[in-house]
Amino acid sequence: MKITAVQTVVVNAIHRNWIFVKVLTDQPGLYGWGEATLEWKTRAVCATIEDLEPFVIGEDPTRIEHVVRRMTGFSFWPLGAIGLSAVSGIEHALWDIKGKALGVPVHDLLGGRVRDNVAVYTHLRRAKIGAQVPTSDVNAFCDAVQETVEMGYNAIKLGFVPYTGYTAPLPEIRHVEKLAHAVRERVGDGVEIMTDFHGRPDSVEAARAYIDAITPIKPLFVEEAIQPGDVGAMAELARQVACPLATGERLFTPREFADLAEKRAVAYIQPDLAHCGGLTGGRKIAAIAEAAHMGIAPHNPMGPVAGAVALHFDLATPNFVIQEEAVGLVPWFRDICTQTYPLDMQNGVWGVPDAPGLGIEIDEAEAARHPFAQEEIPALEAILPDGRIANW
């Protein structure tokens, strides 16, 4: 069996363009789907997939590690977020092809499932664009949280922290504390709450002030309390607070995660399988984390193929904890797929798919109804009161 072509199908989902990758083979009707979505870098990722195509044409798609090494090793330059997202999308499709060729779901190829379902969490109102509520209105925010939980979720991730800098003003700390307590009181102790700082604090001290305000509600974790990449600062912060920390959506290589593990800098890591080299990279990262007693909570606010990849990974990964999803991002999220769709959530969990491969197919006719368009970029609003650009 040989790879004959690599194609991209771009679908505009308002705040991001989903980049679906279709790898074709010389076997009639046998192809695979992957996803290489990277916010606001659509043109660059699609062009990089074209640049990588010569490295994979003519190769056996079932030799997945070998094909990945062709893309990474022959590229010479470190690939970074754009390059590794392109690699990841192609890599996903290889697993899909192999599973289809053998007639088994991908989680069987990963050693078999170690659990019977996958716990998931969502965002406010399932991340539906245009349905968010400002944190300034505590009652309305709590109403939206309750509405989300009543959709069947047992866990939710929220943004409590404002755009900030090197200091955390006392009025802001007080408001975050009030908001967090109100949310916990509204949903009770049976719902896991996570909060994403998005790396907004520019200092360990500012991050610590907000974490201390949130800690009494016992969040499962605080995500990206500071910008990623400074393992020493993250480890220092972890020693100063009484709340589990998480990071990893903007880290890409096993080496980066090994640094976190060696310093015990966080309790949970969050690799994104659409950016870290796919299942090949994700499995290596998970093993590093397991050796350091760290749980794994994969990042994934993207499209349905990325969700399917995460589902198979989670089923076969012993130190998996909980999976991010954003299936409410656009009202037609489900429609972009054919009848094969493994991401139906019931009672806060995804079930076990048994279809060959990833168990998901993109309806290309439906996809064509949502062609590439310049995304709406919410990060452009991240401005501090004095006019300085903040971390979104």
Side-chain angles (χ1 to χ4, degrees):
M1 190 189 333
K2 304 296 182 184
I3 296 171
T4 58
V6 180
Q7 301 173 351
T8 54
V9 176
V10 177
V11 173
N12 179 254
I14 315 301
H15 283 172
R16 51 177 59 78
N17 283 296
W18 293 332
I19 304 171
F20 301 128
V21 182
K22 188 177 185 181
V23 174
L24 307 179
T25 76
D26 60 0
Q27 303 298 306
L30 182 57
Y31 56 84
W33 286 106
E35 184 170 343
T37 302
L38 183 65
E39 292 89 333
W40 321 321
K41 305 294 185 293
T42 304
R43 300 171 185 88
V45 173
C46 288
T48 303
I49 290 170
E50 289 185 38
D51 287 338
L52 292 173
E53 188 179 28
F55 299 156
V56 305
I57 293 295
E59 293 299 311
D60 180 349
T62 66
R63 296 181 63 192
I64 297 172
E65 180 81 36
H66 173 71
V67 175
V68 168
R69 292 185 69 82
R70 286 182 64 89
M71 290 188 285
T72 55
F74 288 160
S75 290
F76 181 67
W77 298 103
L79 290 173
I82 291 169
L84 282 175
S85 296
V87 168
S88 299
I90 295 171
E91 191 265 5
H92 299 162
L94 303 183
W95 287 101
D96 194 27
I97 290 168
K98 188 166 186 174
K100 289 173 177 175
L102 297 175
V104 298
V106 165
H107 59 80
D108 273 3
L109 302 178
L110 303 177
R113 60 185 176 87
V114 296
R115 56 181 46 84
D116 297 329
N117 54 56
V118 167
V120 300
Y121 71 86
T122 193
H123 301 258
L124 199 68
R125 288 178 169 160
R126 304 181 90 188
K128 182 179 179 182
I129 294 173
Q132 300 308 298
V133 177
T135 56
S136 57
D137 189 333
V138 174
N139 287 332
F141 191 87
C142 289
D143 288 344
V145 173
Q146 182 176 347
E147 175 188 332
T148 307
V149 170
E150 288 174 352
M151 294 176 184
Y153 290 93
N154 303 318
I156 187 170
K157 186 167 75 180
L158 304 166
F160 289 138
V161 173
Y163 299 128
T164 189
Y166 287 88
T167 63
L170 185 57
E172 298 284 10
I173 295 172
R174 297 294 193 205
H175 182 74
V176 167
E177 184 177 38
K178 177 182 177 182
L179 180 63
H181 279 274
V183 169
R184 174 57 77 195
E185 183 176 353
R186 179 68 69 91
V187 301
D189 292 347
V191 174
E192 293 283 11
I193 298 172
M194 293 142 280
T195 182
D196 188 353
F197 281 25
H198 256 211
R200 290 178 177 179
D202 284 318
S203 69
V204 169
E205 289 73 24
R208 185 181 66 237
Y210 284 120
I211 293 171
D212 287 346
I214 294 167
T215 296
I217 74 165
K218 302 295 183 183
L220 179 62
F221 57 71
V222 168
E223 177 178 335
E224 277 202 337
I226 57 174
Q227 283 287 305
D230 189 339
V231 176
M234 187 68 82
E236 177 185 347
L237 179 61
R239 306 294 179 266
Q240 295 179 13
V241 298
C243 180
L245 303 183
T247 196
E249 71 180 77
R250 289 187 278 177
L251 302 176
F252 311 107
T253 66
R255 179 67 261 171
E256 291 172 295
F257 286 94
D259 290 342
L260 286 173
E262 289 165 6
K263 295 287 198 304
R264 303 300 195 271
V266 294
Y268 303 101
I269 59 164
Q270 300 172 288
D272 191 311
L273 300 171
H275 308 321
C276 73
L279 293 162
T280 301
R283 296 173 76 197
K284 295 172 183 177
I285 291 164
I288 290 168
E290 185 178 17
H293 310 288
M294 297 159 64
I296 184 166
H299 177 258
N300 172 44
M302 295 174 296
V305 177
V309 171
L311 170 58
H312 288 271
F313 173 83
D314 301 341
L315 285 167
T317 301
N319 55 329
F320 164 78
V321 176
I322 197 165
Q323 176 64 54
E324 179 179 20
E325 57 104 291
V327 299
L329 187 70
V330 288
W332 40 266
F333 188 102
R334 169 67 180 82
D335 297 340
I336 212 73
C337 306
T338 65
Q339 291 184 348
T340 304
Y341 181 75
L343 304 180
D344 288 321
M345 187 276 296
Q346 294 186 8
N347 300 318
V349 301
W350 285 339
V352 178
D354 57 9
L358 292 173
I360 196 162
E361 295 287 340
I362 295 301
D363 184 332
E364 295 187 60
E366 181 65 26
R369 295 179 59 190
H370 308 278
F372 169 84
Q374 177 59 55
E375 308 95 325
E376 295 179 10
I377 304 178
L380 297 178
E381 67 190 26
I383 306 292
L384 295 174
D386 66 358
R388 182 170 78 88
I389 292 174
N391 295 316
W392 179 62

